[in-house]
Every structure is written in structure tokens, then in C-alpha cells.
Amino acid sequence: SQTIHQWPATLVQPVGSPLSLECTVEGTSNPNLYWYRQAAGRGLQLLFYSVGIGQISSEVPQNLSASRPQDRQFILSSKKLLLSDSGFYLCAWSGTLRSYTFGSGTRLTVV
Amino acid sequence: AQSVTQLDSQVPVFEEAPVELRCNYSSSVSVYLFWYVQYPNQGLQLLLKYLSGSTLVKGINGFEAEFNKSQTSFHLRKPSVHISDTAEYFCAVFSYGQNFVFGPGTRLSVLP
């Protein structure tokens, strides 16, 4: 069966520090991969999606970037975090149109 | 472009009472519809989905939803809620050539 792993679960980082959040999927090949952010009390905002290795689409301009070095690996990064980058980050994959499967999320607090 | 509206940002309800969480969408093409649930500090979990066929869809935890094409709605219902149903619920729509679009969410609070 397919599973999705996302880590770390929580992270507290100072302003200006780098960021790397990792997401991996098991049990499937060539998944579509997504990064969402959920700010406090707000809905889900799609940040990036990828339909294949090295293929990244950005939905909104921001301080973050994404990379897909392997078929089932999706990384969210920043060179210098801002306070506004705080939030709950969710990775998701979809193999067909039938649904998304989400990771357990990373709570990022920038201080 | 498609969009999803969840008119109720918060819904308080007493335990064992029925609940309906509203979802309306707009799209110029055929859509597939989903409800997800998010418990505190967790990822989203699929509750149910409508792809085709019967417009009444049953999901996990006793939830069901009805697709109404003429009203472009996909409301979520449960006849009797439990304290453990307290969570945030997201409606989502998908169509070919588009990414999933999520509604802003409805926070369901079940009171004892």
C-alpha cells in the first residue's frame, strides 16, 4: 500500500535561518506531489506541485522553493526564513484523480 | 477557474445532534468532489468522495454527502455527532487539467 512520510513534525527556527522539509512517498511511482501551507485559522494554500522529477510549478511567489531530486521525494526549502513563513506545512501525493493523500504535516514556527 | 465555498467557518453542535456542513462549488466543467477531515495538528484524511454514479455518497465515521448538480452543492451530513467528530472539515473539487481546490474549511465543535 502507498504511504507518505513527512518530517519533522515540529520545527522552531530563527528568522534568517535556512529550512528544509522533506516528504517521501512509498508504494507508488511517478506520483504528483504537492506542498500546501495552512496558516493559523486559514484554509489550505497550494505552494508547489510537481508532476515529475525536476518539474516544479509554483502557485504563489514567496520566500520558499521546492525540489524533486527523486521520483518519490519532494523537498521544501528556504535560504532565509521570515516570520511570515510560520504555519502548518502539508505534503500530499496523488496517483490518479481520485484523491489526494496527505502527510501528517510539519508545524513550523519562525521566531 | 473553479472555486469552493464553505459558508460556515464554525459550527457548534451538541453531542448526538445532527449536523450539516455546507459546500458549494463553481466550475464550468465536470468535477469530482471530496470531503476531508483534519484533527488538530494532523494531516488531512479523506472522508468521502463523489466521482460518478449515485449522488448520495457514504464515507467513514458515519458521514455522508449528497451531490446536487443543479445547486452545485456537496453538503456533508451526519445524523448524530460524537465528541470525537470535533475537527476541521474541508470540501475540495477537482477537474481534469486543474489542481485540487480546497474550500476555506469549517470548524466543527461538538459540545457535551
Side-chain angles (χ1 to χ4, degrees):
Chain A
S1 62
Q2 303 93 349
T3 57
I4 180 168
H5 302 281
Q6 188 180 342
W7 67 93
T10 60
L11 191 60
V12 180
Q13 292 283 95
V15 169
S17 64
L19 172 74
S20 180
L21 302 182
E22 188 163 344
C23 173
T24 60
V25 180
E26 295 179 359
T28 186
S29 59
N30 197 31
N32 292 334
L33 296 171
Y34 308 85
W35 278 111
Y36 282 86
R37 176 168 59 200
Q38 188 177 24
R42 298 175 66 178
L44 293 158
Q45 180 186 33
L46 178 62
L47 301 176
F48 301 96
Y49 68 93
S50 171
V51 299
I53 295 175
Q55 300 180 60
I56 308 294
S57 296
S58 175
E59 288 293 296
V60 293
Q62 58 206 314
N63 184 43
L64 302 168
S65 62
S67 62
R68 185 169 177 174
Q70 300 180 42
D71 180 45
R72 288 170 286 182
Q73 184 184 29
F74 204 24
I75 298 172
L76 183 68
S77 304
S78 174
K79 292 182 179 179
K80 290 185 178 182
L81 284 169
L82 306 172
L83 286 174
S84 57
D85 291 324
S86 293
F88 192 53
Y89 289 83
L90 289 160
C91 179
W93 78 273
S94 69
T96 70
L97 58 81
R98 295 180 183 275
S99 67
Y100 277 14
T101 300
F102 285 85
S104 54
T106 295
R107 172 76 58 195
L108 172 65
T109 303
V110 182
V111 296
Chain B
Q2 52 199 22
S3 64
V4 179
T5 303
Q6 292 180 248
L7 290 174
D8 306 304
S9 60
Q10 297 188 55
V11 174
V13 62
F14 287 106
E15 193 174 16
E16 298 184 4
V19 70
E20 179 179 82
L21 305 183
R22 296 180 291 170
C23 172
N24 289 86
Y25 68 93
S26 65
S27 176
S28 58
V29 298
S30 295
V31 298
Y32 304 93
L33 297 156
F34 305 81
W35 275 98
Y36 285 85
V37 59
Q38 184 181 32
Y39 300 102
N41 291 310
Q42 294 187 27
L44 276 69
Q45 179 183 2
L46 181 66
L47 265 182
L48 49 79
K49 59 189 177 186
Y50 171 79
L51 303 179
S52 65
S54 173
T55 56
L56 183 62
V57 180
K58 294 188 182 298
I60 62 171
N61 301 341
F63 283 94
E64 64 179 32
E66 185 158 19
F67 171 54
N68 188 318
K69 188 175 181 180
S70 63
Q71 296 186 9
T72 60
S73 68
F74 191 54
H75 300 334
L76 181 70
R77 294 190 291 261
K78 186 170 182 177
S80 175
V81 295
H82 190 267
I83 294 286
S84 60
D85 292 323
T86 294
E88 189 140 19
Y89 292 79
F90 292 92
C91 182
V93 62
F94 174 87
S95 59
Y96 281 107
Q98 304 282 334
N99 283 318
F100 268 63
V101 175
F102 288 88
T106 297
R107 184 172 299 278
L108 174 65
S109 298
V110 181
L111 311 171

